């Protein structure tokens, strides 16, 4: 019987994917695992985003770990419940105790002999065999480039940095942006009776999905016997995979149904023609990330809600001046302007083989990877949810579970002594880029909108194929796509 080698693995980030990576590594018998987390708690997205109305917009029985179903209170869990869930999973699976909190990774440098040196802002230095970057996709708040933004005299913040110390009672609140986040916040503020001014640059298509509350007796039945949740997971998973994902990649029936749903919803929910005109996008359904919501349209029609579409000229101490010359006086200005895309694990110093810096690979709007996990010149370094990952509007937790299975197979090549250094070939990287690009034809993402979905070469940051294709692509590692090196022996390229 041969014993497997036990590698040292460092995980960056203790959000949903970092915790998953730690759990799976431990299950595989890998004991030397360190997690570095910049914040003081696990949870990632659900720890950071605490804005009013924060909730998942994917059904929670599907948006959770496959091995840890939960008796969710709502069809789409609210932010605090998701955060509690993440913390619970962290405790139950012994992840929390493995995490170094309040510590930021500042550099990852490869030594050309199978080891990464990882440094943190606390002065700690780790030398490890593998790094897993579980840093999430959208986490660096994007501040709009609007003249006078800093001159605003009232309180102002980005949605990901909600200031709970400010009492909003009796205040005039402005919100710039109308993405998924804004669609969740606006109804909360309007329904609480605040005077809300929504500055819309581009309208969004909205898929109607009421957030049903599950009755307590049902949740008790789930608590008593968790296997009762299986049909729910199956139902939601099937709905998302067979309807949403297929609609986005151009399946005719699903796409027609999606178009019918969002367009009829807008027509039925907004009866005022002028308001409806303002809320009607001029691009294809799903081209920008679809908003899943059932509360925004009713809220925006209330007397204390104001939709402003004239375009922002500048921000002044007293409020927002629009291009028609009007000054919209405000006490609070909320920036719901999204996140810097393609940041992933950056900013940090990242130097791979032979001094190759990440900027040399990921520059000029290009983010090449192999299977969204591996990068050429950065051996033994794996991305969770890297560019080319999101599969339609599906659960990123499901995607991460599939990717982690692939990562474990890669690590197993090392554990079995078949390789000390694992890197994708340049052909594999080029072929994955071409594969993603080819898949874009016929998808909703070419629907004539401005979106962050494509890089400078037209390679999408999302995965433009069916869920089953993605799952299949994660089933078995194809060693022909890898350059594997053993330092004791001669270099073995494309080893099988
Ligand atoms: P977003 O979708 O990127 O929307 C940003 C909004 O800000 C857009 O309406 C954009 O207008 C506007 N904007 C940006 N710069 C502007 C400027 N200079 N002037 C005027 N308007 C400006 O951001 P988000 O709503 O925070 O959502 C980000 C992502 O988070 C979503 O795509 C989704 O993946 C995720 N999300 C998920 C959930 C969930 O429940 N799962 C909830 C919320 C968010 P343009 O459209 O004209 O650029």
């Amino acid at each position: 019987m041969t014993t497997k080698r036990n590698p040292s693995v460092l995980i960056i980030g203790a959000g949903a994917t970092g915790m998953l990576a730690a759990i799976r590594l431990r299950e595989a018998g890998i004991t030397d695992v360190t997690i570095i987390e910049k914040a003081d708690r696990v949870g990632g997205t659900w720890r950071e985003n605490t804005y009013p109305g924060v909730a998942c917009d994917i059904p929670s029985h599907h948006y959770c770990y496959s091995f840890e179903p939960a008796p969710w209170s709502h069809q789409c869990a609210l932010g605090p419940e998701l955060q509690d869930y993440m913390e619970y999973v962290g405790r139950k699976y012994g992840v929390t105790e493995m995490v170094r909190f309040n510590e930021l990774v500042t550099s990852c440098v490869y030594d050309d002999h199978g080891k990464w040196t990882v440094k943190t802002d606390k002065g700690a230095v780790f030398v490890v065999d593998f790094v897993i970057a579980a840093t999430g996709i959208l986490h660096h708040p994007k501040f709009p480039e609007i003249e006078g933004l800093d001159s605003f005299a009232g309180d102002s913040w980005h949605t990901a940095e909600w200031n709970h110390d400010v009492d909003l009672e009796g205040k005039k609140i402005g919100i710039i942006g109308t993405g998924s986040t804004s669609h969740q916040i606006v109804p909360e503020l309007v329904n609480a009776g605040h005077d809300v001014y929504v500055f819309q640059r581009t309208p969004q298509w909205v898929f109607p999905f009421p957030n049903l509350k599950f009755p307590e007796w049902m949740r008790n039945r789930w608590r008593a016997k968790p296997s009762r949740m299986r049909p729910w997971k199956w139902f939601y998973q099937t709905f998302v995979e067979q309807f949403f994902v297929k609609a986005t990649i151009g399946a005719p029936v699903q796409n027609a149904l999606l178009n019918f749903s969002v367009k009829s919803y807008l027509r039925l929910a907004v009866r005022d023609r002028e308001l409806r005109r303002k809320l009607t996008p001029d691009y294809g359904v799903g081209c920008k990330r679809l908003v899943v919501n059932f509360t925004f349209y009713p809220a925006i029609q209330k007397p204390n809600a104001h939709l402003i579409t004239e375009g922002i000229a500048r921000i002044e101490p007293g409020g927002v001046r629009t291009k028609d010359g009007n000054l919209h006086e405000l006490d609070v200005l909320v920036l719901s302007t999204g996140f810097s895309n393609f940041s992933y694990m950056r900013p940090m110093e990242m130097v791979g083989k032979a001094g190759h810096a990440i900027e040399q690979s990921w520059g000029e709007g290009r983010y090449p990877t192999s299977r969204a996990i591996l990068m050429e010149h950065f051996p033994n370094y794996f991305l969770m949810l890297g560019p080319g990952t999101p599969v339609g509007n599906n659960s990123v937790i499901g995607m991460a579970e599939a990717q982690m299975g692939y990562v474990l197979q890669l690590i197993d090549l090392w554990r079995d002594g078949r390789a000390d250094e694992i890197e994708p070939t340049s052909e594999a990287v080029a072929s994955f880029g071409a594969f993603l690009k080819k898949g874009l034809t016929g998808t909703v993402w070419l629907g004539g909108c401005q979106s962050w979905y494509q890089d400078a070469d037209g390679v999408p940051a999302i995965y433009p194929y069916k869920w089953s294709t993605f799952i299949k692509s994660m089933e078995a590692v194809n060693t022909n796509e890898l350059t594997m090196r053993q330092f004791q022996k001669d270099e073995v390229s494309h080893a099988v």
Side-chain angles (χ1 to χ4, degrees):
M1 198 182 94
T2 53
T3 46
K4 283 179 179 285
R5 295 196 283 173
N6 189 16
S8 49
V9 185
L10 186 138
I11 301 168
I12 309 174
T17 62
M19 293 210 298
L20 170 78
I23 292 167
R24 291 295 195 222
L25 287 168
R26 289 241 295 232
E27 280 171 0
I30 297 169
T31 50
D32 189 352
V33 180
T34 307
I35 312 176
I36 314 252
E37 166 57 54
K38 65 177 184 217
D40 60 354
R41 281 178 302 149
V42 303
T45 296
W46 306 108
R47 180 201 60 235
E48 304 267 285
N49 288 280
T50 60
Y51 59 78
V54 59
C56 192
D57 63 5
I58 291 166
S60 300
H61 283 295
H62 181 40
Y63 182 92
C64 65
Y65 298 111
S66 58
F67 51 86
E68 193 57 51
W72 299 105
S73 67
H74 288 74
Q75 188 158 245
C76 296
L78 309 184
E81 188 176 6
L82 281 158
Q83 177 59 20
D84 286 348
Y85 172 79
M86 292 295 161
E87 291 185 23
Y88 167 76
V89 171
R91 286 191 302 275
K92 178 171 173 182
Y93 290 86
V95 176
T96 312
E97 67 214 34
M98 297 159 69
V99 184
R100 292 173 65 108
F101 289 106
N102 300 309
E103 196 161 354
L104 186 76
V105 172
T106 52
S107 77
C108 291
V109 179
Y110 188 64
D111 75 348
D112 289 345
H113 280 86
K115 296 279 184 194
W116 280 95
T117 300
V118 179
K119 292 186 179 166
T120 75
D121 63 348
K122 293 268 170 73
V125 180
F126 301 87
V127 178
V128 293
D129 298 307
F130 292 98
V131 176
I132 297 179
T135 49
I137 305 173
L138 301 168
H139 54 111
H140 294 296
K142 190 165 81 189
F143 291 87
E145 286 173 18
I146 302 176
E147 186 191 328
L149 184 61
D150 292 337
S151 71
F152 183 64
D155 290 301
S156 178
W157 58 78
H158 188 277
T159 55
E161 297 163 346
W162 196 269
N163 186 345
H164 294 277
D165 295 336
V166 174
D167 182 4
L168 297 176
E169 201 53 47
K171 304 253 169 83
K172 284 187 168 187
I173 307 164
I175 299 196
I176 299 179
T178 48
S180 302
T181 303
S182 175
H183 275 74
Q184 291 183 334
I185 295 174
V186 169
E188 291 293 312
L189 298 179
V190 170
N191 294 339
H194 302 300
D195 212 10
V196 182
Y197 296 75
V198 183
F199 296 89
Q200 172 188 279
R201 186 166 68 180
T202 315
Q204 291 266 9
W205 290 113
V206 178
F207 180 76
F209 198 63
N211 198 4
L212 303 177
K213 196 168 188 300
F214 293 120
E216 209 45 39
W217 64 262
M218 190 181 268
R219 300 182 67 205
N220 283 336
R221 277 174 58 79
W222 290 337
R223 284 186 190 106
K225 198 171 171 194
S227 63
R228 288 186 176 128
M229 288 183 265
R230 267 191 226 133
W232 289 85
K233 177 169 172 72
W234 177 86
F235 169 74
Y236 287 123
Q237 187 171 348
T238 306
F239 171 67
V240 173
E241 288 167 19
Q242 299 303 321
F243 174 60
F244 262 118
V245 176
K246 288 193 174 168
T248 52
I249 59 173
V253 175
Q254 287 89 336
N255 192 266
L257 212 60
L258 182 68
N259 269 273
F260 176 75
S261 318
V262 298
K263 289 177 182 172
S264 339
Y265 176 50
L266 175 57
R267 180 170 283 272
L268 290 171
V270 183
R271 303 306 294 169
D272 179 276
R273 278 174 183 240
E274 181 51 17
L275 182 63
R276 192 160 72 226
R277 187 188 61 74
K278 289 181 176 177
L279 289 169
T280 304
D282 62 359
Y283 54 83
V285 174
C287 182
K288 278 178 184 284
R289 195 223 189 237
L290 202 63
V291 172
V292 178
N293 185 281
F294 204 58
T295 50
F296 181 84
Y297 286 162
I300 201 69
Q301 297 174 76
K302 293 198 169 172
N304 55 326
H306 317 273
L307 183 72
I308 294 143
T309 58
E310 279 71 25
I312 299 173
R314 62 181 171 276
I315 292 170
E316 300 180 3
V320 172
R321 176 88 59 189
T322 42
K323 288 181 180 158
D324 56 5
N326 283 338
L327 175 68
H328 304 272
E329 289 182 8
L330 301 170
D331 302 303
V332 173
L333 183 59
V334 175
L335 308 173
S336 187
T337 43
F339 299 84
S340 303
N341 46 302
F342 296 114
S343 289
Y344 295 93
M345 62 284 182
R346 299 173 297 165
M348 68 152 92
E349 184 195 15
M350 199 170 143
V351 182
K353 260 170 90 174
H356 190 96
I358 186 68
E359 292 75 20
Q360 291 171 260
S361 284
W362 282 17
E364 298 165 1
R366 292 178 177 85
Y367 310 90
T369 70
S370 171
R371 294 181 187 255
I373 292 173
L374 292 147
M375 292 175 291
E376 197 186 358
H377 310 293
F378 300 91
N380 298 7
Y381 192 106
F382 308 131
L383 301 166
M384 299 298 292
L385 306 180
T389 298
V391 189
N393 276 36
N394 210 344
S395 160
V396 288
I397 297 184
M399 294 169 211
E401 287 194 2
Q403 286 184 325
M404 197 53 211
Y406 196 88
V407 167
L408 284 173
Q409 290 181 54
L410 292 168
I411 293 179
D412 255 351
L413 294 169
W414 185 99
R415 296 182 79 194
D416 292 338
R418 292 179 65 191
D420 297 315
E421 186 183 87
I422 301 163
E423 186 188 356
T425 62
S426 41
E427 293 78 17
V429 173
S431 124
F432 184 65
F435 170 73
L436 291 179
K437 207 167 162 178
K438 189 167 161 230
L440 263 188
T441 314
T443 68
V444 295
W445 300 297
L446 296 182
C449 66
Q450 284 282 328
S451 97
W452 59 270
Y453 282 143
Q454 287 171 59
D455 77 7
D457 287 332
V459 176
I462 34 81
Y463 188 83
Y465 295 96
K466 287 186 292 192
W467 179 252
S468 54
T469 310
F470 171 74
I471 292 297
K472 202 160 175 36
S473 77
M474 292 289 106
E475 269 171 9
V477 167
N478 178 356
T479 48
N480 289 324
E481 294 178 0
L482 305 174
T483 299
M484 303 199 298
R485 229 175 248 125
Q486 288 173 305
F487 295 116
Q488 270 74 31
K489 302 174 192 162
D490 292 331
E491 178 179 316
V492 183
S493 235
H494 315 303
V496 183

